[in-house]
């Protein structure tokens, strides 16, 4: 799941113009779905809401870019992290990372109070449903990460116990996040049946190197999203309508540590970073993640306006900062600070809105599909043109040292 204005500085009350109106996302494994023209599947689960009341929950629709559950080639993963086969593995670096994870800075951070339910009761009308969507999609994305990391921790236990334990501790973090978000849904008398999701959702297969690219981007873009929202609301407390945002400062440091770990994993696999194919794949995943977030958020401007943010300015800030961070390790990145990039993003958002409008008409499916064909072709054309923009050569395995310091 870009380039607009020149340099966007870290958020302050002057960076964004607060505008109140009446949806949110997260990317890759942290990425919210956009309602494209794919067929959808809906399930319904029943669970207990706050206070033991029975609450019905409509399942998340399966669309092209809904938060995915991932699996990979675990045999290849075992080979990649076998210290006898891969001499590039820097075990001292992984051991330093392991100590960082073992410290568990957020062990006592995610503690709820009565403020949550009181705030939820005050959120009514369209904004209430927007918050429900934000919570359920974020919960699904975090739970997706938990499942993948847990399985990697289990499968690598014999091959590389240090790396395996880090994956297990990351799954701990993701489970904590998912549980916290699901508790948030209980404030709205809803809950996701995570056990049902584990069995019912389809799993998308990614080769290990693609898992590295996508998950690194996912964690780093998650960091910049969370810290940006946190800083904005700290500077503009009048928009602090639900207390979960107060937890984002510590929360985003989990995302940052996860990203640092995947940076170390890629450094240990230089074949994923040092040839022309790596440059093409790096740009592809940057484009996929940035465009997904932008299109998702453009469909959900009410959420960002509800907390006083301009959606497109917020997204561009997050994309630019994520791209700068990613340039430290990826061999090539997109020129997101070129005004052409922002122009093409806006064009894609406009086309996507037209695709959605076709889906909302009363036409028969055949007519809808015929109307979508030129629009999808136009969207693909914009994606290709954006991908072919002159990239920025970047990345250095030598300078991408692990640094446990905060990125603030």
């Amino acid at each position: 799941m870009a380039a607009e204005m020149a340099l966007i500085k870290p958020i302050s009350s002057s960076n964004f113009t607060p505008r109140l109106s009446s949806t949110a996302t997260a990317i890759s494994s942290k990425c919210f779905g956009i309602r494209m023209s794919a067929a959808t599947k809906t399930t319904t689960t029943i669970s207990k809401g706050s206070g033991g009341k029975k609450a019905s929950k409509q399942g998340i629709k399966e669309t092209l870019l809904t938060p995915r559950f991932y699996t990979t080639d675990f045999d290849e993963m075992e080979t990649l992290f076998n210290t006898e086969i891969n001499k590039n593995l820097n075990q001292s670096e992984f051991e330093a990372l392991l100590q960082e994870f073992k410290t568990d800075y957020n062990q006592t951070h995610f503690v709820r109070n009565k403020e949550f339910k009181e705030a939820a009761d005050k959120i009514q009308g369209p904004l209430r449903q927007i918050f429900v969507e934000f919570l359920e999609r974020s919960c699904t994305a975090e739970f997706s990460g938990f499942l993948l990391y847990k399985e990697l921790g289990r499968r690598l236990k014999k091959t590389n116990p240090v790396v395996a334990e880090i994956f297990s501790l990351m799954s701990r973090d993701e489970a904590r996040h998912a549980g916290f978000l699901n508790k948030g849904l209980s404030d709205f008398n809803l809950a996701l049946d995570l056990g049902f999701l584990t069995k019912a959702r389809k799993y998308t297969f990614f080769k290990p190197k693609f898992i590295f690219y996508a998950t690194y981007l996912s964690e780093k873009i998650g960091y910049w999203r969370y810290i940006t929202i946190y800083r904005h609301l700290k500077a503009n407390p009048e928009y602090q309508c639900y207390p979960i945002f107060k937890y984002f400062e510590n929360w985003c440091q989990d995302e940052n540590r996860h990203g640092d770990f995947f940076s170390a994993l890629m450094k240990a696999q230089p074949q994923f970073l040092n040839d022309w194919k790596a440059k093409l794949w790096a740009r592809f995943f940057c484009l996929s993640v940035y465009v997904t977030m932008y299109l998702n958020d453009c469909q959900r401007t009410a959420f960002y306006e509800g907390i006083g943010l301009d959606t497109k300015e917020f997204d561009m800030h997050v994309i630019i900062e994520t791209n700068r961070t990613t340039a430290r390790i990826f061999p090539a990145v997109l020129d997101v600070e070129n005004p052409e990039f922002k122009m093409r993003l806006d064009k894609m958002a406009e086309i996507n809105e037209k695709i959605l409008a076709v889906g909302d008409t009363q036409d028969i499916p055949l007519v809808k599909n015929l109307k979508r064909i030129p629009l999808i072709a136009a969207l693909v054309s914009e994606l290709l043109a954006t991908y072919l923009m002159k990239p920025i050569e970047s990345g250095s395995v030598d300078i991408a040292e692990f640094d446990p310091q905060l990125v603030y």
Side-chain angles (χ1 to χ4, degrees):
M1 336 245 155
E4 179 200 333
M5 340 154 200
L7 305 179
I8 299 185
K9 297 183 175 65
I11 296 283
S12 68
S13 57
S14 62
N15 284 121
F16 292 123
T17 304
R19 290 174 24 219
L20 185 60
S21 180
S22 69
T23 179
T25 90
I27 259 308
S28 187
S29 72
K30 303 287 190 290
C31 192
F32 281 8
I34 60 174
R35 286 170 32 226
M36 297 286 280
S37 56
T40 62
K41 237 197 255 183
T42 304
T43 59
T44 301
T45 61
I46 304 292
S47 59
K48 296 290 184 180
S50 179
K53 295 180 181 178
K54 207 170 190 183
S56 88
K57 174 72 186 68
Q58 181 118 359
I60 298 173
K61 291 182 178 180
E62 289 279 0
T63 62
L64 291 182
L65 294 173
T66 304
R68 301 286 173 180
F69 284 11
Y70 293 96
T71 187
T72 189
D73 186 335
F74 294 104
D75 291 335
E76 183 182 343
M77 280 287 193
E78 289 181 33
T79 300
L80 292 175
F81 295 109
N82 188 316
T83 54
E84 295 180 3
I85 296 174
N86 186 355
K87 302 303 180 183
N88 293 308
L89 292 168
N90 186 341
Q91 286 300 107
S92 62
E93 182 174 10
F94 288 127
E95 286 168 5
L97 278 159
L98 177 57
Q99 292 309 310
E100 184 81 1
F101 280 99
K102 279 184 173 179
T103 303
D104 196 6
Y105 298 102
N106 288 332
Q107 183 175 11
T108 60
H109 178 62
F110 295 98
V111 179
R112 287 162 48 84
N113 53 46
K114 65 177 183 178
E115 186 182 354
F116 280 80
K117 181 61 176 170
E118 291 173 354
D121 289 341
K122 292 177 183 177
I123 300 174
Q124 298 298 327
L127 195 57
R128 187 176 179 86
Q129 181 55 40
I130 288 166
F131 265 85
V132 167
E133 182 183 356
F134 162 66
L135 291 168
E136 70 178 7
R137 290 180 176 274
S138 296
C139 181
T140 302
E142 296 286 350
F143 190 65
S144 167
F146 157 73
L147 292 175
L148 177 64
Y149 298 158
K150 181 181 179 182
E151 184 63 14
L152 283 166
R154 187 182 72 82
R155 293 291 295 265
L156 296 174
K157 192 170 291 185
K158 292 182 179 179
T159 305
N160 194 319
V162 173
V163 169
E165 189 172 359
I166 294 174
F167 273 119
S168 296
L169 293 174
M170 290 203 305
S171 74
R172 170 205 66 195
D173 295 342
E174 301 290 288
R176 188 178 284 159
H177 299 166
F180 195 63
L181 288 158
N182 211 13
K183 281 288 187 181
L185 279 169
S186 72
D187 297 326
F188 296 84
N189 299 319
L190 298 167
L192 280 177
D193 186 339
L194 297 177
F196 174 79
L197 281 178
T198 304
K199 301 172 188 174
R201 293 298 288 271
K202 293 181 179 178
Y203 287 72
T204 301
F205 178 86
F206 265 12
K207 290 176 65 67
K209 69 176 180 180
F210 300 152
I211 289 285
F212 294 161
Y213 295 143
T215 310
Y216 172 83
L217 278 167
S218 162
E219 299 290 356
K220 288 300 184 180
I221 208 166
Y223 167 83
W224 282 110
R225 289 176 65 82
Y226 288 152
I227 196 58
T228 298
I229 291 173
Y230 173 81
R231 288 172 177 165
H232 162 71
L233 292 176
K234 188 176 181 180
N236 302 277
E238 67 273 19
Y239 291 104
Q240 186 74 258
C241 53
Y242 188 64
I244 200 168
F245 302 118
K246 296 178 182 179
Y247 292 76
F248 277 11
E249 182 179 31
N250 288 47
W251 191 326
C252 74
Q253 292 308 324
D254 284 341
E255 310 294 323
N256 195 40
R257 278 185 286 273
H258 296 180
D260 287 339
F261 173 57
F262 275 97
S263 176
L265 293 183
M266 286 187 284
K267 283 169 27 181
Q269 312 296 336
Q271 71 274 21
F272 296 161
L273 296 173
N274 62 8
D275 62 12
W276 63 271
K277 288 184 290 186
K279 292 182 179 181
L280 294 178
W281 281 119
R283 288 161 54 199
F284 171 80
F285 277 96
C286 284
L287 181 65
S288 300
V289 169
Y290 300 160
V291 170
T292 299
M293 183 183 76
Y294 201 83
L295 298 188
N296 282 333
D297 287 358
C298 283
Q299 292 179 65
R300 299 175 169 89
T301 56
F303 174 83
Y304 299 98
E305 292 174 357
I307 58 174
L309 289 171
D310 178 282
T311 307
K312 291 184 176 180
E313 285 187 22
F314 166 75
D315 274 14
M316 285 309 306
H317 171 79
V318 169
I319 287 170
I320 288 172
E321 294 297 346
T322 301
N323 204 60
R324 290 175 180 172
T325 302
T326 301
R328 299 172 190 169
I329 186 68
F330 276 23
V333 293
L334 303 174
D335 186 5
V336 302
E337 296 177 62
N338 182 333
E340 181 187 349
F341 187 88
K342 171 65 165 52
M343 179 192 72
R344 293 196 178 280
L345 281 182
D346 287 336
K347 182 64 176 176
M348 283 184 262
E350 181 184 326
I351 295 169
N352 188 52
E353 285 299 318
K354 292 178 181 178
I355 294 173
L356 299 181
V358 170
D360 291 336
T361 64
Q362 300 301 313
D363 294 330
I364 62 173
L366 176 61
V367 173
K368 287 184 180 182
N369 288 334
L370 289 173
K371 288 182 177 179
R372 287 185 184 116
I373 290 173
L375 294 171
I376 292 174
L379 185 60
V380 171
S381 176
E382 289 296 331
L383 282 166
L384 184 59
T386 308
Y387 181 76
L388 293 176
M389 286 176 59
K390 185 179 179 181
I392 296 175
E393 300 289 319
S394 62
S396 169
V397 175
D398 296 327
I399 67 170
E401 298 293 334
F402 165 65
D403 185 355
Q405 297 178 3
L406 303 185
V407 186
Y408 286 43

